[in-house]
Amino acid sequence: MASTYTTNLRLTKQADGENPNSWGQILNDGVISLVDDAIAGYTTVSIGSAATVTLTETQGSGDQSRSAILEFKGTVGGAHDTINVLIPNNSKSYVVKNSVSYNDSTDAIVLKVAGNTGVTIADDSTAMYVTNGTTVLPVAQTTFTNITATGNLDVKGNASVSGNANITGTLTVAGAVSLASTLSVGGAAYFGSTVTVSGKGKFMTGAFAPVVTLADATSVVPDLNTSNVFAVTLAGNRTLAAPTNTSTNIGATGHIFVIQDSTGDRTLSYNAAYQFPDGTVPTLTTTSAAVDILFYAVRTTTKVDSILIKNFKR
């Protein structure tokens, strides 16, 4: 009776009475060493010249696809914008380190079983992937009770924290942030989208919005999604247009520095969205380089309560 092989790792299964004088060597080479590869083996796979790279798959001896850890090296985006890396159609897990160089953001490395969709391997990443022999999926931990990062924490998508997050380094979040509890950041924090805090927000050393310079034009348009604080230097008689994105900024407060240019005598009229005390529309200080500040509070999508304080100087 001839030897057979295991389904997933292709280990040698010797038949009874087979290989009486070489049984030990076959056990070492065909089983023990291969199990070692499957648990801790590290294999480098070069890609770039072919659109499809099929990992070697050998019964009872060493191959690429049995290794626990795969490192992809080479380039993508030269001869091929997408390179498919094919793994056997058996269940297995892989740790994949992507060291490939990309020509542009549309290039991709796809880990897949032949005939199926597969999954795109993130650029410059090290992550675990599992397959049932058909589908390949990333192993992603998306829910944490508590997060303690002693270094930097980089979140590519959205961050939703129901427990505490304690970060002593820099926090960078590309998406929205929702906090139901405490966030402690020892370094700088950068958010690419909205931060939602269901409790109170406490800033130990103060908080500020950057001054966004508005384009001087016949109609001056503040965008509330860019800041709460704006500045415009008037080079002619202008109209302050209704701010954009009021629907997502109801309750927001801020101010606009309105500055006369070196000539002065510039006037500012207001869109009907701006509401003033007693309905009296204010006039600007018109001396050269004069600075007035329009303070505002967004009451509704079409009502921005405002007051002008004039002529800041010493």
Side-chain angles (χ1 to χ4, degrees):
M1 182 177 179
S3 296
T4 57
Y5 302 93
T6 62
T7 300
N8 296 313
L9 295 181
R10 303 171 299 287
L11 307 176
T12 302
K13 297 170 66 177
Q14 298 185 77
D16 291 343
E18 191 178 25
N19 306 313
N21 297 318
S22 57
W23 185 90
Q25 188 64 47
I26 292 174
L27 175 65
N28 290 339
D29 294 342
V31 179
I32 296 175
S33 293
L34 301 186
V35 170
D36 185 69
D37 287 343
I39 295 174
Y42 195 111
T43 294
T44 299
V45 180
S46 296
I47 62 176
S49 60
T52 299
V53 176
T54 302
L55 300 188
T56 57
E57 176 186 5
T58 307
Q59 300 279 31
S61 61
D63 60 22
Q64 293 174 314
S65 59
R66 186 181 289 104
S67 291
I69 306 166
L70 302 173
E71 181 176 4
F72 298 152
K73 290 187 174 182
T75 59
V76 60
H80 308 285
D81 293 333
T82 298
I83 295 180
N84 296 311
V85 178
L86 301 187
I87 57 178
N89 60 338
N90 299 312
S91 60
K92 194 177 183 305
S93 62
Y94 295 94
V95 174
V96 178
K97 176 177 173 58
N98 189 359
S99 301
V100 172
S101 298
Y102 290 73
N103 280 1
D104 58 55
S105 60
T106 63
D107 300 332
I109 302 296
V110 178
L111 186 69
K112 62 189 295 186
V113 174
N116 296 280
T117 303
V119 62
T120 299
I121 306 298
D123 179 17
D124 192 29
S125 66
T126 300
M128 176 174 281
Y129 299 85
V130 295
T131 177
N132 59 3
T134 302
T135 304
V136 181
L137 295 172
V139 178
Q141 177 66 54
T142 58
T143 303
F144 302 90
T145 301
N146 290 284
I147 300 174
T148 300
T150 56
N152 297 335
L153 178 62
D154 186 8
V155 181
K156 300 296 186 183
N158 298 334
S160 178
V161 182
S162 59
N164 296 331
N166 182 21
I167 302 160
T168 59
T170 298
L171 171 65
T172 302
V173 182
V177 179
S178 177
L179 301 175
S181 189
T182 302
L183 171 65
S184 176
V185 182
Y190 302 92
F191 302 100
S193 186
T194 302
V195 179
T196 302
V197 181
S198 59
K200 291 183 177 180
K202 183 178 181 181
F203 300 92
M204 304 303 292
T205 58
F208 67 93
V211 178
V212 171
T213 300
L214 300 175
D216 177 55
T218 302
S219 180
V220 179
V221 186
D223 181 354
L224 299 186
N225 277 354
T226 61
S227 185
N228 292 58
V229 182
F230 305 93
V232 60
T233 299
L234 305 180
N237 296 335
R238 308 303 191 206
T239 296
L240 186 63
T244 60
N245 295 305
T246 54
S247 62
T248 55
N249 289 279
I250 293 176
T253 60
H255 54 278
I256 304 172
F257 296 99
V258 183
I259 305 166
Q260 296 282 337
D261 66 3
S262 58
T263 300
D265 289 327
R266 311 303 189 183
T267 63
L268 185 66
S269 57
Y270 302 88
N271 181 274
Y274 295 96
Q275 310 290 297
F276 296 101
D278 294 326
T280 302
V281 178
T283 59
L284 297 178
T285 305
T286 56
T287 54
S288 173
V291 178
D292 295 345
I293 303 179
L294 181 75
F295 292 90
Y296 68 85
V298 181
R299 177 160 41 108
T300 70
T301 57
T302 58
K303 303 292 183 185
V304 182
D305 297 328
S306 308
I307 187 170
L308 185 72
I309 299 179
K310 302 170 64 173
N311 202 19
F312 286 82
K313 63 181 182 179
R314 282 295 292 266

